[in-house]
Amino acid sequence: IINGLSQLTLKAEKVGYLPRWIVFMMDVGILIFALVLKHFLIVNLNPNFDLYLDVYARHCIVIMVNIFFFLFFRTYSGIIRHTTFIDGIRLLSASLCSFGVLSAFDLLFEYYYSKHIFLFSSIIVGQVFAFLFLFLFRIFVKFIYERYTAEKNLKTMEEVLIFGTDANAVAVANALMADPESRFKILGFLDNNNNRQNTSKLILGLPIFSFYKRVPVIMRFVGAKGIILADNYLSVKSRTELIDECLDYNFKVYSVPS
């Protein structure tokens, strides 16, 4: 299912951002679905109730009020796959205002004509359903898009080793792993102290490879395409020899500014 949805996301990405009118129509469709679900729930809970208008007229009023506040708060203006807290606030504001207007309208009608247009429980359930479905729809689309993007980035990320196991090397690795837009996939650390005891340990959940063989041999063994020099204690001569050796075997070398 996730793979199928990822394919849909890829097609959507090729098309670009959805026009706002399409997002607006999708919101209206979700609203109608929420109202239909609410209607069957309320009918089962309250089979005998006497209201002034029939079900179609009541739902038309609810839809028109919600549409007005969709337009007022511009709930359709955000990019669905980049939903933020602000989009949730817009949806919540639209739902609360719709609830307030519908409740006030029903109270005024009941005051003048001694009959209700809506059940109060129906207004609450309907607006809660509408808000939840609209918001969860956006969260779902965002989740699928981020999962697809992560998988896509993972395939294009460059696999590298971190040369060094000191605090600076760990900080560099931690920063790269925490960056969602990083183009590096860290496979592990190279211990330049030639200490085989460290090979049984992990740093940030990544293995430590002892520097007891030539660096290109280790890189080829783990499948790395490059190496990041993050050891501040590496001498200039050793650094130069390491860079030349890696370049001779067509491995990329990256250096961290000191």
Side-chain angles (χ1 to χ4, degrees), residues 5-246:
L5 292 171
S6 296
Q7 294 297 324
L8 293 177
T9 306
L10 176 59
K11 294 180 180 179
E13 187 181 66
K14 291 181 179 179
V15 173
Y17 299 131
L18 285 177
R20 291 181 176 181
W21 68 268
I22 293 182
V23 178
F24 176 76
M25 295 303 297
M26 293 170 67
D27 285 348
V28 174
I30 294 173
L31 171 65
I32 294 174
F33 172 77
L35 293 178
V36 171
L37 182 63
K38 177 267 304 181
H39 173 72
F40 286 109
L41 178 63
I42 295 299
V43 167
N44 290 330
L45 295 177
N46 301 279
N48 299 316
F49 52 85
D50 183 25
L51 299 175
Y52 184 76
L53 297 177
D54 60 61
V55 61
Y56 300 105
R58 295 198 305 272
H59 283 167
C60 283
I61 294 174
V62 174
I63 291 172
M64 294 306 295
V65 171
N66 277 271
I67 286 177
F68 173 80
F69 286 110
F70 285 169
L71 296 172
F72 182 81
F73 289 104
R74 298 171 60 85
T75 59
Y76 54 85
S77 61
I79 301 172
I80 295 181
R81 63 191 182 196
H82 299 305
T83 296
T84 63
F85 178 74
I86 300 300
D87 297 303
I89 293 297
R90 288 176 179 172
L91 289 171
L92 181 60
S93 299
S95 297
L96 289 176
C97 289
S98 298
F99 169 76
V101 169
L102 292 171
S103 300
F105 181 63
D106 181 69
L107 289 174
L108 288 173
F109 194 88
E110 193 271 337
Y111 178 79
Y112 286 105
Y113 299 100
S114 300
K115 271 203 169 184
H116 287 279
I117 296 180
F118 308 104
L119 288 174
F120 186 71
S121 59
S122 176
I123 300 176
I124 295 177
V125 174
Q127 293 307 132
V128 169
F129 278 6
F131 168 73
L132 288 178
F133 290 159
L134 288 168
F135 187 66
L136 290 177
F137 167 70
R138 283 162 167 76
I139 295 299
F140 178 73
V141 172
K142 181 178 182 179
F143 168 77
I144 295 300
Y145 178 74
E146 289 182 347
R147 183 182 180 91
Y148 160 75
T149 303
E151 292 178 354
K152 181 181 177 182
N153 292 339
L154 190 61
K155 294 178 181 178
T156 58
M157 291 175 73
E158 186 174 346
E159 297 178 324
V160 297
L161 288 174
I162 299 287
F163 188 87
T165 55
D166 61 359
N168 185 64
V170 175
V172 171
N174 195 31
L176 291 174
M177 294 171 64
D179 185 4
E181 298 182 358
S182 174
R183 62 189 182 94
F184 297 108
K185 179 182 179 182
I186 302 175
L187 300 181
F189 295 84
L190 266 176
D191 184 9
N192 61 330
N193 293 322
N194 196 22
N195 187 356
R196 295 197 179 196
Q197 293 180 351
N198 285 339
T199 58
S200 61
K201 301 178 182 180
L202 298 175
I203 299 179
L204 301 177
L206 299 172
I208 302 174
F209 300 98
S210 180
F211 191 21
Y212 62 91
K213 291 184 180 180
R214 298 175 63 188
V215 172
V217 176
I218 300 175
M219 294 176 65
R220 187 179 293 112
F221 173 75
V222 300
K225 305 298 181 183
I227 187 170
I228 298 176
L229 303 181
D231 192 336
N232 289 333
Y233 301 102
L234 192 64
S235 65
V236 175
K237 180 181 178 181
S238 299
R239 179 184 292 265
T240 303
E241 292 176 351
L242 178 59
I243 293 175
D244 291 339
E245 188 177 17
C246 290

